[in-house]
Amino acid sequence: MENLVPNPAAPKPAGNRAPVQTPNGRSLPYRLVNGVKEFHLTAEEIDHEFAPGCTAKCWGYNGSTPGPTIEAVEGDRVRILVSNHLREPTTIHWHGLLLPNGMDGVSGLNQAPIKPGETWAYEFTLRQAGTHMYHPHADELVQMAFGMMGLFIIHPKASADEPAIDRDYAMLLHNWALHPGTYRPDPAVMLDFDLWTFNSKIYPATAPLLARTGERVRLRIGNLSMWNHPIHLHGHRFWVTGSDGDRWPRSAWIPEVTHIIGVGQTRDFEFIADNPGDWALHCHMVHHTMNAMGHSVPNPVGAKLAEADAKIRSVLPGNMSMGSDGMSEMADMAGMMQGPPNTVPMMSGNGSFGSIEMGGMFTVLKVRDDLAADDTRDPGWYRHPPGTQAKLVSFDPQFALGFARDKPSDS
Amino acid sequence: MSRANYSGFAPLVLPALLLNACANIPADRGWVDVRNSVAAHGQEISPSSNDVTDTARAATTEKLLAQPLHFEDAITLGLLNSPQMAAIYAQLGLAGAEVLQAGRLSNPKLSGSFGFPLTSGGAGFGFGITQDFLGLLFLPARSRLARADFGRAKATAGAAVMQLAAGIGHSYYLAIEARQNAELLALIEQAADAASTYAQALFDAGNLSELQLDVQKVASAQAELDAEDAAAERDMARLQLNREMGLSATQTEWQLAGGLSLPIAQEDDAQQLQTLAAAQRLDLQAAQAELAVRQAALAFARSTRWLFNAELGSDYARDTDRDRSAGPSISLALPVFEQGQSRLLRAQAEVELAQAQVDELRIDISNEVQSAIEQLKHARHRVDLLGTRLLPLRQSIVEQTQTRANYGLLGVFEPLQAKQQKYAAEQGYLNAIGDYWLARVALARAVGGRLPSDAQIGAAQTGIESFKPLMDQPRSIASAAGPSSQSSGENTAQPAPSRQPAANSQHAHSSHSGVSP
Ligand SMILES: [Cu+2]
């Protein structure tokens, strides 16, 4: 094991390439065997925590979901040993990689399945770069619903990206049918998922992404869920610089603030973290930034509930009728109330100004002027310089400027 | 009649009068014996309309009706006021009359004649007095039989009192059950109304369709209808009890105390009850007395087979010639055509009939006891299933749906629905408990007296308790964890606290803690 590389970041790779960071995850160590980078993935059942108060029996690799990120360099010969500790056969498909047909991992099509207890070797030479993924291609519906997936990142053979990347983050999007009160995802669900995750974590358990002001940040995002996700970054404009088809020519880069990452796709975003602060980074499907919630709950907004409430409480003294003014109350109450077992509030998280009212695919990009290059500790909430923050100007509900309040005209 | 001559038949009449002196009945017609007998069977009569004046009866009735009625109060009132008690007393009078009649000779028959001579001379006349000779001869035996038959009549009267009390007890439990059932259906109606009101508010805000609203409204209307049915049943059951307590329709301003209580801890041994029933059923004793009377009658008929209608008489005649003649006379039927066969056969058949009735009653009693034991057993089992499994689960579902509704995972219709289903389960529970107490009444009726296990109901306990507080509390309250602040949550009326701690142990609540619904 003397050749084991515990973290590719430790001996900094050739050139100035930044190590890939998998928030809430890690990269997979390898050993060099006669010039071949040898990795070992073990498919197994795991106990996974989506956030404190919400755990489940999931399936993953090497004790986690997503499995560890495989990092290698274009041109490397890799050998990936796959041990099956599940009670059913599996395979691994190297999603997006250019490789011999017999290494592609589709059970029955390209190989016989890896039976429980067996270890198989996949071996091929990397002929491309970019952000890729791996996942099973045997009983795929169940095994992916349970969380079997990982990122496969191939660095370009060239010594460095141009311009150089200072922070390189990688995230995998997924959805889970972990119904309230249950402890194992439900593979039968096609649409009504309960949890939406960045690297199998729901906000507020998603780790923040850090950057020092002025650093060039790359965000690699792969989608192995069953929905498309418009990923939106606040306070910055990013370029979409790459996909499963490797880094795009600069002329093809797209400046955006929101970019849809389709099912089975990967995208690389790059941006200069030139705007200090705490910036939301999230999927823009609003239900995807919620945790488990009722999708067929009668809508109470705008209803006059006084009489009904009195009657309901006479039957159900513990009833908390909420929502006639909107659902914010839910987030405020959620922290105080006991939900069903193993179920976190649909929205929560507290910032320095109150409830953040988010869940699911949400995290915070923290840009700071004074962050050391290798500092990965959470710097806490941003302190806004004077004059750079919205402020209260009136308590008067009838507040108006010197002219009539702007309204649509009657026509 | 010649004063000078009546002494001629006096010696014949006097012994009969002396005999009559031995065949009296008590002035109370044996009522005290009946009272003591039913008291020995566990049913005190304190007092009855046969014991007190109407004024005292009215005063006692008024006093009892002023308080919520417990099981024993209802029976006391019924035994005090029911005209059936007077009828039972009257029946004793009829039986007593039989005894008196049997103990006395039939009155002597006086016959007289005038004769008008065809020749000249004064008119002549004569008279005679005859007495049923066999009646005289059989008098002691007939008295004995009649007194035995009076014993039968007292047993019958006791049995009737026990039946009356059991009937009142039955109606009492039905009335309590009907009242609690109506309360539960009113609660279901309340929950359905809450859901409908909520739906209306959402509809008014533009958030529900008319179809969704109508689904809630129709459920509410149906619940109201069901509650109305239950209220009608409650009123009918109440009136039935009113009637059986011997009260008029103007005397309905009474309240039932509490609600049905949970089953007692330990039921009576089945074999013991069978033995008890065979030994103490008053109607069986009456039937056995009847048999004994018939057997004695048969024996008597056999021993007097050859004696037929015999008449002993005294004749007196005075003729116009003023000659007088006087002297005893006897007439005997000759056993030429009738030799007593029919009398024997009738007596024999009556013995057989009485024996058959005793035998049938024994079989009936044995099966009645067994049937009531089975009813009791199954009702207990249902109470247990409902109390330890169904209700805790229904309660848990209420709590869980409430938790989810508060958490935004469900709407409020779900916990309201769950609460209605819990009430429906409580209805089943109530029904099972009602069946249990009705089965105890049936068992007591079958055994012919109060059950030994009635002692477990407790001195202060009169056979009824409310189980509602137990059901409406969150399950954590009933656990060993002790009182909790959640217990005051229910809006429903809180009946008197349980006086039957032994029964509470039947109600094994999970210690699983939950949020009060
Ligand atoms: Cu999304």
Side-chain angles (χ1 to χ4, degrees):
Chain A
M1 302 293 279
E2 66 282 357
N3 291 330
L4 196 69
V5 182
N7 183 341
K12 205 159 182 174
N16 295 323
R17 203 182 76 228
V20 167
Q21 293 180 46
T22 307
N24 300 107
R26 69 201 190 284
S27 288
L28 180 62
Y30 61 85
R31 64 175 187 179
L32 274 169
V33 179
N34 299 326
V36 177
K37 284 183 177 167
E38 197 171 77
F39 298 87
H40 187 192
L41 289 173
T42 300
E44 59 191 352
E45 184 167 275
I46 56 169
D47 292 307
H48 175 69
E49 183 183 83
F50 290 96
C54 182
T55 61
K57 285 282 178 212
C58 294
W59 291 0
Y61 297 101
N62 298 18
S64 69
T65 172
T69 300
I70 295 175
E71 275 188 85
V73 181
E74 184 180 3
D76 279 352
R77 181 79 177 169
V78 296
R79 183 185 304 122
I80 306 160
L81 302 171
V82 177
S83 298
N84 183 2
H85 288 186
L86 302 173
R87 290 187 302 276
E88 71 164 357
T90 189
T91 65
I92 295 188
H93 164 60
W94 314 100
H95 183 111
L97 296 199
L98 308 172
L99 37 60
N101 185 250
M103 296 292 170
D104 200 43
V106 178
S107 177
L109 181 66
N110 307 121
Q111 67 170 95
I114 306 172
K115 295 197 190 79
E118 292 178 350
T119 297
W120 285 45
Y122 294 89
E123 185 171 334
F124 42 85
T125 300
L126 302 176
R127 297 197 279 129
Q128 63 199 120
T131 305
H132 304 280
M133 304 181 284
Y134 63 90
H135 63 80
H137 225 298
D139 194 14
E140 190 176 347
L141 180 143
V142 168
Q143 295 187 7
M144 290 185 69
F146 286 178
M148 294 179 75
M149 58 188 176
L151 284 155
F152 199 131
I153 290 168
I154 307 172
H155 298 284
K157 192 182 280 176
S159 60
D161 293 305
E162 273 301 325
I165 300 297
D166 300 304
R167 307 236 180 196
D168 197 352
Y169 292 106
M171 298 201 300
L172 207 41
L173 309 179
H174 203 41
N175 48 215
W176 308 75
L178 185 68
H179 307 311
T182 68
Y183 296 85
R184 194 187 298 275
D186 174 1
V189 169
M190 186 169 78
L191 296 173
D192 268 342
F193 293 98
D194 299 284
L195 301 178
W196 309 90
T197 54
F198 288 162
N199 287 339
S200 303
K201 292 283 183 183
I202 52 176
Y203 184 75
T206 49
L209 309 187
L210 310 185
R212 181 167 146 152
T213 309
E215 281 181 338
R216 188 177 184 88
V217 179
R218 174 159 51 205
L219 200 47
R220 305 167 182 267
I221 305 178
N223 181 4
L224 283 176
S225 79
M226 301 227 289
W227 286 74
N228 297 339
H229 301 286
I231 300 297
H232 175 54
L233 175 63
H234 292 210
H236 295 79
R237 183 178 57 189
F238 57 76
W239 292 275
V240 184
T241 60
S243 69
D244 349 52
D246 205 344
R247 203 166 198 240
W248 295 348
R250 192 177 286 245
S251 58
W253 290 6
I254 310 167
E256 279 190 324
V257 295
T258 304
H259 189 81
I260 295 175
I261 298 159
V263 177
Q265 291 183 331
T266 71
R267 289 292 182 272
D268 295 349
F269 302 167
E270 291 177 28
F271 59 93
I272 309 293
D274 54 3
N275 200 353
D278 290 338
W279 301 106
L281 169 65
H282 61 95
C283 173
H284 218 282
M285 302 271 279
V286 292
H287 280 217
H288 295 184
T289 52
M290 293 291 125
N291 295 325
M293 60 178 286
H295 293 286
S296 51
V297 176
N299 173 15
V301 178
K304 294 185 173 64
L305 293 177
E307 185 196 358
D309 269 356
K311 286 183 174 180
I312 292 166
R313 274 173 210 262
S314 75
V315 178
L316 301 167
N319 189 63
M320 310 270 192
S321 269
M322 283 180 293
S324 58
D325 300 328
M327 288 173 82
S328 248
E329 231 183 328
M330 298 289 302
D332 294 338
M333 291 299 297
M336 290 174 243
M337 277 197 304
Q338 179 75 38
N342 204 35
T343 307
V344 295
M346 66 182 275
M347 50 188 179
S348 65
N350 276 302
S352 41
F353 306 104
S355 175
I356 293 174
E357 301 180 348
M358 283 285 145
M361 290 177 163
F362 181 92
T363 191
V364 180
L365 170 70
K366 298 190 170 190
V367 181
R368 298 288 186 274
D369 293 335
D370 52 356
L371 203 65
D374 56 352
D375 194 350
T376 55
R377 292 170 303 165
D378 185 340
W381 300 116
Y382 182 63
R383 301 161 78 94
H384 301 84
T388 66
Q389 198 187 2
K391 63 185 178 189
L392 175 74
V393 293
S394 173
F395 287 109
D396 179 7
Q398 303 305 319
F399 173 79
L401 293 178
F403 48 90
R405 235 168 80 212
D406 179 45
K407 290 179 181 174
S409 57
D410 310 303
S411 56
Chain B
M1 179 197 291
S2 165
R3 196 181 167 82
N5 295 293
Y6 78 90
S7 59
F9 55 79
L12 293 173
V13 176
L14 279 175
L17 293 173
L18 289 172
L19 280 171
N20 277 350
C22 307
N24 262 318
I25 59 155
D28 69 348
R29 304 178 181 174
W31 174 245
V32 169
D33 293 344
V34 172
R35 280 184 57 163
N36 291 340
S37 169
V38 296
H41 289 74
Q43 184 56 62
E44 297 285 350
I45 304 173
S46 52
S48 81
S49 58
N50 307 327
D51 304 308
V52 295
T53 64
D54 283 354
T55 314
R57 181 162 65 94
T60 307
T61 299
E62 193 181 347
K63 189 176 151 218
L64 282 170
L65 291 182
Q67 301 295 323
L69 296 183
H70 292 266
F71 181 78
E72 297 297 346
D73 301 332
I75 291 175
T76 300
L77 279 163
L79 298 187
L80 178 61
N81 289 301
S82 174
Q84 284 192 43
M85 290 297 278
I88 290 166
Y89 188 68
Q91 291 288 351
L92 280 175
L94 291 179
E98 292 289 323
V99 175
L100 290 177
Q101 192 178 0
R104 285 172 168 82
L105 281 172
S106 52
N107 288 332
K109 280 180 267 184
L110 191 65
S111 60
S113 63
F114 286 91
F116 296 93
L118 297 172
T119 59
S120 63
F125 67 92
F127 67 88
I129 185 163
T130 58
Q131 177 76 47
D132 175 7
F133 172 69
L134 282 179
L136 188 60
L137 197 63
F138 298 167
L139 196 61
R142 270 176 51 191
S143 273
R144 214 163 48 239
L145 288 185
R147 280 198 302 276
D149 196 53
F150 189 59
R152 178 203 55 78
K154 287 194 288 187
T156 301
V161 172
M162 295 306 289
Q163 283 289 347
L164 181 61
I168 298 165
H170 182 87
S171 292
Y172 180 83
Y173 286 132
L174 283 182
I176 291 257
E177 184 184 338
R179 193 203 67 196
Q180 288 189 284
N181 188 56
E183 285 169 1
L184 281 171
L185 281 160
L187 289 173
I188 292 177
E189 180 196 347
Q190 196 186 342
D193 176 53
S196 178
T197 307
Y198 185 76
Q200 184 69 53
L202 265 55
F203 175 82
D204 292 344
N207 302 359
L208 276 194
S209 70
E210 189 174 0
L211 173 60
Q212 290 169 308
L213 173 62
D214 284 354
V215 165
Q216 296 298 328
K217 280 166 75 174
V218 79
S220 171
Q222 182 64 49
E224 195 175 341
L225 186 67
D226 294 346
E228 187 53 36
D229 282 350
E233 271 179 43
R234 174 200 61 204
D235 294 346
M236 292 306 103
R238 200 182 143 83
L239 271 179
Q240 177 62 26
L241 178 60
N242 198 62
R243 177 199 304 238
E244 293 193 25
M245 290 191 300
L247 304 175
S248 82
T250 58
Q251 290 173 286
T252 51
E253 292 301 309
W254 43 265
Q255 298 298 320
L256 291 164
L260 296 172
S261 60
L262 291 168
I264 61 166
Q266 182 67 46
E267 300 298 340
D268 296 301
D269 174 64
Q271 192 48 54
Q272 186 196 354
L273 292 179
Q274 289 285 6
T275 307
L276 198 58
Q280 74 170 13
R281 272 274 290 248
L282 285 169
D283 54 348
L284 179 61
Q285 289 175 11
Q288 284 166 330
E290 171 81 16
L291 175 61
V293 167
R294 295 301 167 197
Q295 282 167 335
L298 173 62
F300 182 68
R302 278 194 181 123
S303 65
T304 59
R305 174 171 184 178
W306 296 104
L307 288 174
F308 302 101
N309 300 337
E311 283 192 341
L312 196 63
S314 175
D315 287 320
Y316 175 90
R318 191 172 71 178
D319 298 326
T320 50
D321 60 1
R322 308 191 76 83
D323 284 340
R324 292 179 301 171
S325 65
S329 68
I330 187 163
S331 67
L332 273 174
L334 296 175
V336 176
F337 307 110
E338 162 69 81
Q339 295 158 353
Q341 295 98 325
S342 65
R343 200 153 61 86
L344 265 182
L345 181 57
R346 177 171 295 111
Q348 176 67 40
E350 281 172 344
V351 166
E352 289 165 5
L353 205 56
Q355 181 68 56
Q357 279 165 356
V358 167
D359 292 345
E360 184 174 19
L361 197 49
R362 280 190 192 284
I363 289 173
D364 283 353
I365 289 170
S366 156
N367 283 285
E368 274 171 33
V369 170
Q370 194 57 35
S371 164
I373 285 171
E374 300 286 341
Q375 282 178 47
L376 190 69
K377 190 181 77 182
H378 290 297
R380 251 193 106 95
H381 195 209
R382 277 164 58 215
V383 170
D384 191 48
L385 275 176
L386 280 151
T388 62
R389 289 176 59 193
L390 241 90
L391 276 182
L393 285 169
R394 281 286 173 214
Q395 176 64 22
S396 172
I397 289 169
V398 170
E399 290 167 11
Q400 291 185 61
T401 50
Q402 179 67 79
T403 298
R404 286 180 181 228
N406 287 348
Y407 219 59
L409 298 170
L410 290 176
V412 77
F413 292 124
E414 277 84 356
L416 283 173
Q417 181 68 25
K419 190 76 185 235
Q420 290 176 63
Q421 287 170 333
K422 188 198 136 193
Y423 286 140
E426 285 176 357
Q427 239 192 315
Y429 191 49
L430 171 70
N431 183 257
I433 294 174
D435 284 354
Y436 170 81
W437 289 106
L438 290 174
R440 278 187 74 84
V441 169
L443 187 54
R445 197 196 291 251
V447 167
R450 290 302 185 84
L451 302 177
S453 57
D454 276 1
Q456 290 175 44
I457 297 175
Q461 142 70 270
T462 51
I464 47 157
E465 284 297 339
S466 175
F467 61 89
K468 273 188 60 201
L470 275 178
M471 295 190 303
D472 275 337
Q473 282 165 4
R475 288 178 302 150
S476 53
I477 303 310
S479 73
S484 151
S485 58
Q486 294 172 342
S487 60
S488 59
E490 283 291 331
N491 69 311
T492 52
Q494 298 286 311
S498 172
R499 283 177 286 172
Q500 197 175 335
N504 292 352
S505 63
Q506 300 277 326
H507 208 65
H509 287 264
S510 155
S511 61
H512 174 275
S513 66
V515 176
S516 174

